[in-house]
Amino acid sequence: MSTFSPKSLEHFHNEIAIKFQLYNSLFLSLPFSKIEKTGLLLSVLQNYCEEGYAQGQNAEEIINSFVQNQTNFDSEQKTLDLLFRFIQYIERQIVLFDALEDAAYDRINDISGPGTLKHLQNKLSDHQYTASEKKTLENFSVRLVMTAHPTQFYPGSVLGIIGDLSKALQHNQTDQINILLQQLGKTPFLNKKKPSPYEEAVSLIWFLENVFYHTIGSIANEFKSTMPFMDPADHPIIKMGFWPGGDRDGNPFVRAETTYKVANSLNIAILKCYYRDVRKLKRRLTFKNIDTIIAKLESDLYEQAFLRTINTIRTMNDIIGPLKLIREILFTENNGLFIENVDELIDKVHCFGMHFAFIDVRQENEVHTSLLSTIMEYNGFSNASYEEMPEIQKINFILDQKLDATPDQFEDEIFSDTLLTMQTIRKIQEDFGEEACNRYIISQCTSALNVIEVLALFKISGWNINEVNMDIVPLFETIDDLVKAPIVMKSLYELPSYKSHLKRRKNRQTIMLGFSDGTKDGGYLMANWMIYKAKEELSKMSKEYGIDVMFFDGRGGPPARGGGKTHKFYASMNKEISSKEIQLTIQGQTISTNFGIKESARFNIEQLINAGVTNNIFQDESNNFTKEEESLILSMAEISLKTYLALKNDSNFVDYMSEVSPLKYFGMANIGSRPAKRGKVEKLTIKDLRAIPFVASWNMIKQNVPGFYGLGTAINSIIEKGQFEQLKAIYKKSLFFRTLMDNSEMSLIKTFMPLTSEISEHPVFGDIWQRINAEYKLTSTNLLLLGNHTTLMEEYPVDKLSIQMREKIMIPLATIQQYGLSKLREMDNSGEEELSNSYQKMIIRCAFGIINGGRNSA
């Protein structure tokens, strides 16, 4: 089952584990005040943590014991000062470890092995394509959509140091490494203020310019001749999407002007990339009849990108045209010299156009419903009579009636901005092309009416209803929504007005499915199974209506949010599930972890392309479940759901999260421009709580409930029914089911219940802790039995060792955070405001390091 190479583990030991110990010692010699003593004391604290938890001590007891025995402090403030220094020191240790892993990436990953494009190339070399397969590949693509979720805690300056440090480590440049570690020691790790939505967008555009532009261009150029379906001139197989500046549900501070500003910045960024490449070409293309063409193109790009003074570069053909002319002259008059350089730039222009990455606009359905209600009032229609109408009558009413409204007539800023955004989308399309912004996503979509409301609002905002060049994308998130999704889409497909809209959109429908909120709603197993079944039902039903359905997966970093071995999920879809495109969000840590350097970006993009193509061309019958197998998995999912809901619906569950974890401190951190929860209600509720702080909080207290809870009980029920051998057969046969279980093992191996052991005796929260601990043990035991393994993540020893080393680095950090939370619980309205503020800051600061250290923790 495993594709693990023993050589990879050897490289990990030599290139990362040993070097970390070596270069970590350099921190001790940095010429900064108190740093040597901090480093020495930190290693002692790490021993206290490991031994203390083994002996049953809690975080507060461990810190108190350490302070009493290893310091002569006579005040709490001195202890706090030392703990803050520990946090800063560990933050830099994590950066060093990140840089070491990046530097060794191509040695610990088989970059030409299974899952790569070279591997796919070999598989396809002798394949005789059918007409159907050719058509499938001609339309297949991978869409990576970058989101601005605030789980990337490294500021740009630190990301830059990581990149430089990785290069220095690759070449063992000790002097340079030492200098960079000194720079790291002096560089702040925190934002002084919350970034604006536009600033978040700019920080992510850096990845587009420095990683994706080069990586995607080289992939397309390298493989288009041997795998023609990858020729970007015919069909860009890799497309980049962008949520910063467009995602209003994710960030209520985004405005229409932000959306246009981001689209403009993306256009500037891609033109600058083209300009730099043209400058490089100009140094080589010094031949007669070519020099003047390349000089004019360089001049036009410069003025358009840097000065914005002319408008001669309006479409990608304004760039490709001169390049093709240059190519022709090189071929006919210059023996094809440097023609491959010109081809690579042409490929990049085909891949990125004038927009670089398309902006998705997303808003919650309730905003549209409330806005339409207000508009009807303004136009003299009775809301009461409208509310009494059946859904189909409401749909016909809002489409047939002439409803007038302008953005400036609303007092509610969200209402005015919604209409203004729809007007802005048209301007973006006019200025940068339709692909720059042509998808509107409806969060928490529950009905066909929710989709038609958006079409009606486009009409009200000034669009011709027959010329709405937008894909309307419903987002189904909760378990209930996933069950109802086929009914909703069937209603839409049968609506004459929507059928006409889809016909204009080439009968293609994108449907988004939310892994994060699905897991929060129904637990790990049920959420993943229901998404799988929803895809199956929606694929079958869409095919019956002649619609090409594409699924857009809202995935996060950890398994609890759809992360983990993502490419294996796409390789494991059965033949009934549409896989015409792979669309997924990449966010926060996932961007810097999986796509932060060219090597990792290329490897992960290749894995996704390989998974999609392989699944389309080499359908594996083992991916299909029999009715009996489906029945068995469903029975497990139902028991898992019941077990999870019993915990989630406990009257003390929200308070447990709020008091035991750092959840309520998320909003205080300058980590992103958006709030930690939806709505304006002060009291914390599960419904309004965003999935990121929900999952991240469990990770920080090392309980990881969303990644396993209920699974152990579900497997136990199968054992008790005498069906365990059938389940083991499914595990062995099905890549989908096996990947689901393997990813849960990742959540389990990052779980460390002794960290919060003091809660086990708490009069209010003790019962919840005990239930989580029991389910953790049961799930661990049953997954080992299921996979016939002796240890968790046995099939992934390199990943396992990486996690273990990271968890060891972070254990003092997690202990300090728990210590702070414990102290705050003790204070509880004691009036010690200054001390309380210090502990709150300490908790928040620990959160940065824990999430950065975990890499896929939020």
Side-chain angles (χ1 to χ4, degrees), residues 101-111 170 599:
E101 287 202 320
D102 286 349
Y105 195 88
D106 59 355
R107 291 188 289 284
I108 60 175
N109 293 281
D110 188 354
I111 58 174
Q170 265 181 325
E599 292 82 0

Side-chain angles (χ1 to χ4, degrees), residues 195-214:
S196 69
Y198 177 70
E199 288 168 338
E200 286 179 331
V202 169
S203 69
L204 287 187
I205 289 174
W206 183 93
F207 288 97
L208 286 172
E209 290 181 285
N210 293 281
V211 179
F212 289 104
Y213 176 75
H214 303 286

